[in-house]
Amino acid sequence: MSKEQIILGIDPGTTIMGFGLIKVVNKKMSLIQLNELDLKKYDDHYLKLKLIFERTIELIETHHPDEIAIEAPFFGKNVQSMLKLGRAQGVAMAAGLSREVPITEYAPKKIKMAITGSGNASKEQVAKMLQGMLGIKTLPKNLDSMDGLGAAVCHFYNQGRVEIGKRYSGWASFVKQNEKRVKK
């Protein structure tokens, strides 16, 4: 009997949200979809968040992923950018949690390490490795979708490991693992 699994990988962003879906059958990966949600034409930050939520729900309802892998925000110097990125990640996570799809976060360096063997690899190096692994004919202009795909592939490679990142199976587990963030 073959075990089939679908993993949705998301690279959250308020300019572009990249995502990739892979199917795993008998420990072999194949590409289902690679795309991005382009949000550049919208000025309203809250509208962007709504669109991220809706697109994530649409992906879940269309493809029924067994798990979601999401790239954790990197720590930059611009606090406003970090806040916006955190919100984008939060609404994508909320969409998954609302449909009870387990979510695992991965640091960008962990994703790069899983794909290329180096946590300091460039976006282009990660994209080229993924292109070869999954037989992608041409790379997209923006590499955000490849970053989302990288999260999914990283999750596939890290399944069954004891320490793979923060993992949430629903609201209760999210709250339990983030008690310091909850107001009492």
Side-chain angles (χ1 to χ4, degrees), residues 60-73:
I60 292 167
E61 290 178 351
T62 301
H63 298 284
H64 308 287
D66 299 288
E67 302 200 42
I68 295 174
I70 192 163
E71 187 171 314

Side-chain angles (χ1 to χ4, degrees), residues 1-18:
M1 185 169 120
S2 65
K3 183 177 180 334
E4 181 178 302
Q5 179 185 38
I6 295 176
I7 304 170
L8 168 60
I10 298 175
D11 176 31
T14 55
T15 304
I16 297 174
M17 178 183 90

